[in-house]
Amino acid sequence: MATHMSRCRSWSPVQRYGLAAYRRYSGGGGYPNIPLSSPLPGVPSPTFASVDGLEKSETRITTLENGLRVASQNKFGQFCTVGILVNSGSRHETKYPSGIAHFLEKLAFSSTAQYGSRDEILLTLEKHGGICDCQTSRDTTMYAISAEVKGLDTVVSLLSDAVLQPRLLDEEIEMTQMAVRFELEDLNMRPDPEPLLTEMIHAAAYRGNTVGLPRFCPGDNVDKIDQAVLHGYLRSYYCPQRMVLAGVGIEHEQLVKCARRYLLNTRPVWGEATPTDVDLSVAQYTGGIVKMEKDMSDVSPGPTPIPELAHIMIGLESCSFLEDDFIPFAVLNMMMGGGGSFSAGGPGKGMFTRLYLNVLNRHHWMYNATAYHHSYEDSGLLCIHASADPRQLREMVEIITREFIQMAGTPGEMELERAKTQLKSMLMMNLESRPVVFEDVGRQVLSTGKRKLPHELCALISNVTTSDIKRITSKMLRSKPAVAALGDLTELPSFEHIQAALSSKDGRLPRTYRLFR
């Protein structure tokens, strides 16, 4: 073989291609006569791979006899991402101590009926190059594993054990209590206030109900949550009808076969019983204000500390992700954009969004102005987060309220097209990642029973018009504001003044007069 290869290397171009072809195309005179737009004569036409319909990109869904839905999306590669999504989160803790979902996130992939410890689970996954993770949000709990495709049977077996048969030992609960206390302490100390402000704005917007319930376990509840409380919650919410087994990168038939083997007749460790305490409450938007006076001067020590800042987040009710207006709200959120005053980037990086052009570029003393859109199955919240020196808090609030009022104006065609293109670009870039595709498949099937494909979403984005933006903004501005404020709040305007500004034509705060300063 080696002799044959060395002989091939020693062949001259004449021997390899033939004398006629060598003279015609290797000489200087052959190339100028044939334009680059024309194929070379005598060279066979290339054969390209073709896609036989859309079946390769469609999400396939099967419902088992017990109500569990199995959804899969085929994707080329040696690795797959498989997981179980449960319609359960902090919004469902009305009849239980707040913080159970937070505890379950920390307890995930601990000892089970089949595995004696977390280390055993990790060693089993290691044989298939796998990793595992659990994440909870306000409305969903997601157990996920990424591993080699050949280990699918082991992966589904492990998922079934982790979700339906966790031991929840006393020592594991004690370790989780320590982890939760540390996370709560870290939440109040970290320089980035965004997670804390998000918690506060939800508490203000949906006071005491559904998505307004705390996502992080309150400090007073850490010692109240034990195995009996966890089993009571799991009995109500961890039933097959509220679950989806989703997989990306595997054949649908294989996933259904594994689901039947490990998830169809498996008895949960808390026993099989008809759920009785399921909370079916619909989110009630209330609006309001949540304030936290806090010394932010020592949040970021070091040679170049971040200056002391006051943070404000103002939100208005938008819509649920099941409504047709969800896509226009996503475009509006992209149009507002924003970021930090030190963000790097250029065209396509959000530097031409309104919060950059109208706020950060004009007011050098503002450190941050960012738009966020939180959407759930029955409500939504569009908000703007801003940060500045505490002495300029009142002026910053007025700038944000004016931006909300200006949303109701007619956006420029170029501005709208830029936002739509950026949203489509972000959507397609995110869906290049297998774990993101897995989460998209699981969440859509869990909430709607089907999945809209990327090209369908792009078509909906393209159809958004300026009249859609004006309509949804006018509707949004009629809702009561939700306000979250953190830091030195001496200069914070009253909630009534913020509400009056959002009801005015120009977004300006009512004037206040002081006899003494």
Side-chain angles (χ1 to χ4, degrees):
M1 182 69 182
T3 309
H4 176 72
M5 291 299 293
S6 61
R7 192 181 300 145
C8 287
R9 288 194 199 101
S10 63
W11 283 354
S12 67
V14 176
Q15 290 173 301
R16 195 174 292 175
Y17 305 116
L19 185 61
Y22 176 72
R23 283 177 177 170
R24 184 166 186 182
Y25 298 118
S26 62
Y31 283 109
N33 298 330
I34 303 172
L36 292 175
S37 58
S38 302
L40 294 173
V43 176
S45 302
T47 303
F48 298 102
S50 60
V51 179
D52 48 346
L54 288 175
E55 61 269 13
K56 297 296 183 187
S57 62
E58 285 180 350
T59 301
R60 297 180 62 186
I61 303 166
T62 299
T63 304
L64 303 187
E65 290 80 357
N66 62 354
L68 176 80
R69 285 162 289 179
V70 182
S72 73
Q73 176 85 33
N74 211 343
K75 190 177 176 72
F76 175 77
Q78 295 180 337
F79 280 77
C80 63
T81 300
V82 181
I84 294 176
L85 289 91
V86 189
N87 184 11
S88 152
S90 60
R91 70 170 294 165
H92 300 105
E93 295 172 354
T94 308
K95 301 176 182 178
Y96 298 89
S98 289
I100 292 178
H102 191 189
F103 261 68
L104 290 174
E105 179 184 75
K106 301 299 176 193
L107 284 164
F109 297 106
S110 295
S111 65
T112 67
Q114 188 179 341
Y115 299 92
S117 67
R118 186 188 297 265
D119 289 340
E120 276 190 44
I121 290 176
L122 296 177
L123 285 170
T124 303
L125 285 175
E126 198 174 282
K127 294 173 185 175
H128 301 285
I131 55 172
C132 61
D133 187 27
C134 177
Q135 294 179 3
T136 58
S137 62
R138 298 182 188 279
D139 54 2
T140 310
T141 301
M142 181 173 65
Y143 298 80
I145 294 176
S146 288
E148 209 174 9
V149 175
K150 289 183 286 187
L152 178 64
D153 192 82
T154 304
V155 166
V156 178
S157 168
L158 201 157
L159 279 167
S160 170
D161 228 37
V163 175
L164 298 177
Q165 296 184 318
R167 287 184 180 173
L168 304 177
L169 302 174
D170 290 341
E171 54 265 32
E172 291 173 344
I173 292 175
E174 285 177 17
M175 289 294 292
T176 301
Q177 289 172 343
M178 292 172 58
V180 167
R181 285 194 184 97
F182 174 80
E183 193 166 336
L184 292 176
E185 187 178 339
D186 177 65
L187 188 68
N188 288 308
M189 291 177 61
R190 62 171 61 181
D192 177 23
E194 196 266 328
L196 189 57
L197 280 167
T198 302
E199 192 78 357
M200 293 167 64
I201 195 76
H202 279 83
Y206 304 93
R207 191 171 295 274
N209 75 90
T210 58
V211 293
L213 298 175
R215 194 173 78 83
F216 298 101
C217 179
D220 297 339
N221 287 359
V222 173
D223 293 322
K224 295 178 183 177
I225 298 173
D226 55 17
Q227 189 188 73
V229 172
L230 293 171
H231 276 180
Y233 178 86
L234 292 167
R235 193 175 295 113
S236 296
Y237 292 103
Y238 276 47
C239 53
Q241 298 84 357
R242 300 177 68 90
M243 293 183 185
V244 168
L245 174 67
V248 175
I250 34 85
E251 294 291 340
H252 187 71
E253 290 75 15
Q254 285 182 286
L255 189 61
V256 171
K257 183 180 176 182
C258 290
R260 289 187 182 279
R261 184 181 304 163
Y262 296 112
L263 291 163
L264 187 57
N265 297 309
T266 303
R267 179 182 168 84
V269 72
W270 48 85
E272 291 179 326
T274 305
T276 53
D277 291 333
V278 178
D279 179 42
L280 301 175
S281 304
V282 176
Q284 301 296 318
Y285 182 86
T286 60
I289 185 168
V290 172
K291 299 186 287 186
M292 185 184 289
E293 290 270 0
K294 187 178 177 185
D295 181 11
M296 307 286 283
S297 58
D298 58 348
V299 167
S300 176
T304 54
I306 297 174
E308 181 183 359
L309 299 175
H311 304 273
I312 186 84
M313 193 177 270
I314 301 175
L316 295 169
E317 187 179 19
S318 58
C319 72
S320 87
F321 56 67
L322 299 175
E323 295 179 47
D324 293 337
D325 285 341
F326 173 67
I327 298 294
F329 267 112
V331 174
L332 175 63
N333 179 54
M334 191 61 66
M335 192 186 301
M336 298 307 296
S341 58
F342 296 105
S343 296
K349 297 289 181 66
M351 303 295 278
F352 286 91
T353 56
R354 285 191 183 182
L355 292 180
Y356 264 111
L357 293 176
N358 301 344
V359 178
L360 294 171
N361 287 355
R362 295 182 184 181
H363 307 284
H364 62 89
W365 45 269
M366 285 187 66
Y367 281 78
N368 182 49
T370 312
Y372 296 96
H373 187 216
H374 306 279
S375 196
Y376 305 98
E377 64 182 1
D378 44 16
S379 186
L381 187 66
L382 183 77
C383 45
I384 296 177
H385 166 215
S387 308
D389 187 283
R391 293 168 294 184
Q392 292 168 304
L393 184 55
R394 181 182 176 84
E395 189 178 352
M396 176 172 67
V397 170
E398 185 171 88
I399 289 167
I400 299 306
T401 54
R402 281 161 59 187
E403 283 303 312
F404 269 111
I405 295 300
Q406 287 170 16
M407 286 184 198
T410 304
E413 281 296 329
M414 185 180 292
E415 180 185 33
L416 180 62
E417 286 303 316
R418 183 186 289 124
K420 286 156 63 172
T421 303
Q422 192 173 349
L423 181 58
K424 287 186 280 189
S425 171
M426 183 179 293
L427 172 70
M428 300 309 291
M429 283 191 291
N430 286 339
L431 290 175
E432 288 291 315
S433 168
R434 188 182 63 252
V436 173
V437 176
F438 156 76
E439 188 173 346
D440 182 51
V441 170
R443 284 182 180 276
Q444 286 202 50
V445 173
L446 187 66
S447 57
T448 66
K450 58 184 180 179
R451 183 188 179 221
K452 284 181 180 174
L453 294 174
H455 68 269
E456 296 177 82
L457 293 172
C458 287
L460 291 171
I461 293 168
S462 298
N463 291 336
V464 175
T465 62
T466 54
S467 60
D468 291 328
I469 301 296
K470 285 189 69 175
R471 176 177 52 78
I472 62 169
T473 306
S474 300
K475 179 183 175 183
M476 179 180 69
L477 286 169
R478 290 196 291 270
S479 65
K480 186 180 178 181
V483 180
L486 176 67
D488 180 356
L489 307 179
T490 310
E491 296 295 321
L492 180 69
S494 67
F495 179 75
E496 291 73 21
H497 281 190
I498 295 173
Q499 192 171 5
L502 289 169
S503 303
S504 65
K505 291 183 178 180
D506 56 4
R508 294 186 180 276
L509 291 165
R511 297 299 96 186
T512 56
Y513 302 95
R514 296 182 185 177
L515 293 175
F516 305 101
R517 286 190 176 273

